[in-house]
Structure formats: structure tokens, C-alpha cells
Amino acid sequence: MPHTPEPDDEGLDPVPPPHLVFYVEQALLGALLLDPHRVDEASGIGPDSFSTAAHAAIYRAITSLPRPDVAEHAKNTRWLDRVLAAAREQARGLPPSYLHTLVQVCPWPRHAPAYARMVEAEHARRRLQAAAERLVHTVHDVSLTHPVQTVLTEADALTKVVDDIAHRFPPRAGALPRANTSAPPATPNTVEAVEEEKILLATATAYPSDIASVRWLLPDDLILPLHAGLWQCLTALDRRNEPVDPVTVLWEAQQRGLMEDASDPGDVLRMLAEPAASVEHWGERALQRSLLATAEHTARRIEAYAGDRANTPFQLVVGARRALADVTSVRVRWRHSTKATPPLQRRLEATTRARPPTTRAPLADRSTRATR
């Protein structure tokens, strides 16, 4: 097999050796050059399935040219010359000796279907990795006018790639990907997110009757543990139909152990006393951040799976589908949030300063709640 030459210049890093699939592609192309009639047996691949432009050009030439007569092909190299000429139209630097190298390194031409399946599997891995990378890039694209819709569209494109791989490589029961792949945490705009979460909590405290309209917002959607815990306190008080104001929320937080991290009760009280706009508006903002963070985390998990060449296509399908289920879950809640209030009304609420904070008496709302 051809080796990778070392660079002549001192101080340069050595060229990394080709991946295993490079040699698999060589074996497949050598088999097809020796016996062109085996092209029909090497199904499921195309020129874009190969890892190098030269291999893609050779495969395109092999499959596009008329197949030679078997007896004639065994006597001379005329068909190989035509393949070389056609391949050079796409890969001009292709040396004439390379086709002979391919023929020499092929162990058994009759194994062409097995080689083709290996090439197809590696191509599936590259496709999955590229789709996941596009999703990460889309999440971080600050120029998008409608980031959520665009990210969800890219997530759908990633799902289609997974479905296509599953069609070619049906997943097997229990074929989980290797578990030592960990995705890095998402990195949202922490300063902006923290400030908006504070306003969300204060506004929900001032207008507890609006908490029921944002049931689609979960504690995990908030980035700070303290904020997530305070949201749990608010929803718990609302669910129990108890009075909601900064003091009752803080007391509930203490009962849940949230104040054991040395949080200053005075700071929390001041934070809960500064509402603005509407609960729906800030809740939707928090959910949007959660959706984008979930999409990025999912994409990076799939990137990690696809980056591990020990994972088979069967394992990649199972792992990718499990990861994409997280996006589906938050997408459902996003649809509920955007359908709950008409867009025009949400815009008006977002630009209107909230009224002075009010508290809710438990008996005043109990009869109303019973009719919901």
C-alpha cells in the first residue's frame, strides 16, 4: 500500500497518515478496475461517497464509461487508459501509475460488495458529522432574523440525514453508541440571560395570575440554578393557590434549601421587586434560549458520536435519534408558547411597562381557579 511521505523541510509537522477508509476505497476501486462488471454489486454509493477528489473522479469514470469486453480487458489496458483520461478531467494531477497501484493493492475483487458497504458506512458518518456541524453554526449565527425557525429547519435537515442512514443501515436492538463521548456545554449570552431571568421572576411574582399561562416553561430552561429553583417556588405556590409575593417566594425557597448557597435574602427580595412587561414575553425569551442551547447540545452530542470511528452506522442512528428527541421535546413547548398569545398582543405587552406590583390573596382566586 502507498505510504505517506515525510516532509523535506525541517520543523514542519509530519503529514498525518490516511484514515482506514482511504485504503478501503483503494481496494474497492482496484476491484472495479480489475473486474468492471462488479459495479452492479457495489451498490449504495456514488462519487460523493469517497473521501478524496481523486477517488471520486476515478469512480465516476468507471461507472460512466461503457464496460469493456471481458476477454479484451484481460489482454490490454485500453479501458484503463480511457478511465484515466476521464478521471483526469476532474482530477488533473492524477498520475498514470495510480490506477496500477489500485489494482495491485486490491486483495480480492470478489469482495467489492463488502468494500462498498464500508465506504458507504464511512460516508454516512461524514454526512452526519457535517449536518451536526451546520446545526451548531446556525445556532451561533447572529445575523438570523428568525433564529428559532432557522435552527429548527436545520434540525429537521439533520433528522432527514439520520432517517436516510437508518434506511440504509436499519438500527439494531441495543446498538447504543460508545458512552465515552461527552458534548461541551452550550455557551449562551450569560449576562443578558441572567438579567432577563431576573425580570421574568419579578414579573411572575408581581402578576402570579399569569403563571398558569406559561406552563410550557420549565425550570431547566433557566440557566442559573437559583433562578430555576425560584421558578419552581413560584409554580408551586401558584399550584397550591397560596399567596405570592417576594416574601412568600423567598420563604418557599428557604423551605426547599435554595438559600443554603449563601445567597443574600435581601438581594433576592430586591430582585423579585422589579417587574417589567409580561410573564409571557420573558418566558418566551427564556424558552427561546433553552431551545437554541438544546439544539447546540444535541448537535455536539451527535458530532461526538460521529467523530468516534468505532461507532457503527447502526449505533450512530440510535444515538442521534435519542439526542434529537430533546429538540423535539422543547420544540413542542415552543409551539405551545407561540400559540398561547397572538404575536401582536405579545409585542404590545413587551413594550408596556408593568403596573405596580400586586399580591394575590388565596381566597380571592380560589373560586376562579376551580372553574378553569
Side-chain angles (χ1 to χ4, degrees):
M1 292 184 181
H3 67 281
T4 303
E6 296 288 337
D8 296 330
D9 296 341
E10 240 182 75
L12 293 180
D13 293 332
V15 178
H19 293 296
L20 173 59
V21 71
F22 177 84
Y23 301 109
V24 176
E25 292 172 3
Q26 284 188 323
L28 172 61
L29 294 173
L32 300 182
L33 290 172
L34 283 168
D35 192 350
H37 292 80
R38 294 190 180 275
V39 169
D40 294 335
E41 301 175 5
S43 59
I45 61 172
D48 61 342
S49 302
F50 291 83
S51 61
T52 70
H55 287 179
I58 294 171
Y59 181 81
R60 184 180 290 106
I62 292 173
T63 55
S64 61
L65 290 173
R67 298 172 195 177
D69 177 76
V70 176
E72 188 71 18
H73 183 55
K75 296 178 181 178
N76 56 63
T77 62
R78 291 175 187 171
W79 187 77
L80 294 181
D81 294 338
R82 289 196 292 270
V83 169
L84 177 62
R88 277 183 162 180
E89 295 179 3
Q90 302 294 327
R92 297 185 181 278
L94 189 64
S97 61
Y98 191 60
L99 266 62
H100 297 283
T101 298
L102 296 177
V103 170
Q104 292 172 358
V105 300
C106 175
W108 295 100
R110 66 173 179 268
H111 292 169
Y115 303 150
R117 190 65 166 167
M118 297 174 194
V119 171
E120 184 182 8
E122 178 64 14
H123 182 225
R125 187 193 63 79
R126 292 198 306 270
R127 288 177 60 203
L128 187 62
Q129 192 166 34
E133 290 172 355
R134 286 194 299 270
L135 179 54
V136 173
H137 175 77
T138 304
V139 169
H140 290 280
D141 189 350
V142 296
S143 66
L144 298 176
T145 306
H146 303 289
V148 171
Q149 289 80 354
T150 308
V151 165
L152 290 178
T153 298
E154 202 63 53
D156 289 339
L158 174 56
T159 301
K160 289 181 180 178
V161 172
V162 175
D163 290 342
D164 182 65
I165 296 174
H167 177 72
R168 297 168 181 267
F169 298 87
R172 298 168 180 170
L176 296 175
R178 294 197 344 164
N180 60 350
T181 53
S182 58
T187 55
N189 187 338
T190 306
V191 175
E192 180 183 12
V194 168
E195 290 304 314
E196 291 187 0
E197 288 178 5
K198 289 179 179 179
I199 300 174
L200 165 68
L201 295 169
T203 307
T205 302
Y207 305 108
S209 60
D210 293 340
I211 295 177
S213 65
V214 291
R215 292 298 187 196
W216 34 260
L217 186 66
L218 301 180
D220 288 342
D221 293 325
L222 308 184
I223 64 173
L224 289 187
L226 175 61
H227 292 177
L230 290 173
W231 183 251
Q232 284 183 313
C233 294
L234 281 162
T235 55
L237 290 172
D238 175 70
R239 187 169 53 251
R240 299 198 304 259
N241 198 31
E242 296 184 6
V244 176
D245 62 32
V247 173
T248 61
V249 172
L250 191 59
W251 183 259
E252 179 75 14
Q254 177 175 283
Q255 302 302 301
R256 292 172 176 261
L258 297 179
M259 307 307 295
E260 295 177 358
D261 61 352
S263 297
D264 186 341
D267 291 341
V268 176
L269 284 172
R270 285 187 289 272
M271 177 186 73
L272 296 177
E274 298 180 358
S278 68
V279 175
E280 291 88 349
H281 170 73
W282 299 115
E284 189 174 312
R285 291 279 295 172
L287 184 57
Q288 174 175 318
R289 272 192 302 272
S290 178
L291 187 150
L292 298 180
T294 300
E296 179 182 4
H297 181 74
T298 294
R300 292 195 183 278
R301 277 179 62 190
I302 295 175
E303 269 188 305
Y305 290 145
D308 187 343
R309 285 183 165 81
N311 284 323
T312 66
F314 313 102
Q315 292 173 305
L316 293 179
V317 168
V318 173
R321 283 182 167 171
R322 290 193 172 197
L324 286 166
D326 293 339
V327 177
T328 301
S329 176
V330 70
R331 182 206 292 257
V332 171
R333 293 191 289 117
W334 173 258
R335 287 176 177 171
H336 283 303
S337 73
T338 54
K339 289 179 181 179
T341 309
L344 178 59
Q345 184 177 345
R346 286 201 304 274
R347 286 197 297 271
L348 291 175
E349 289 176 346
T351 57
T352 304
R353 185 70 182 180
R355 300 179 302 278
T358 60
T359 58
R360 182 186 65 200
L363 295 179
D365 289 348
R366 195 162 293 160
S367 60
T368 303
R369 182 178 302 274
T371 61
R372 290 183 181 175

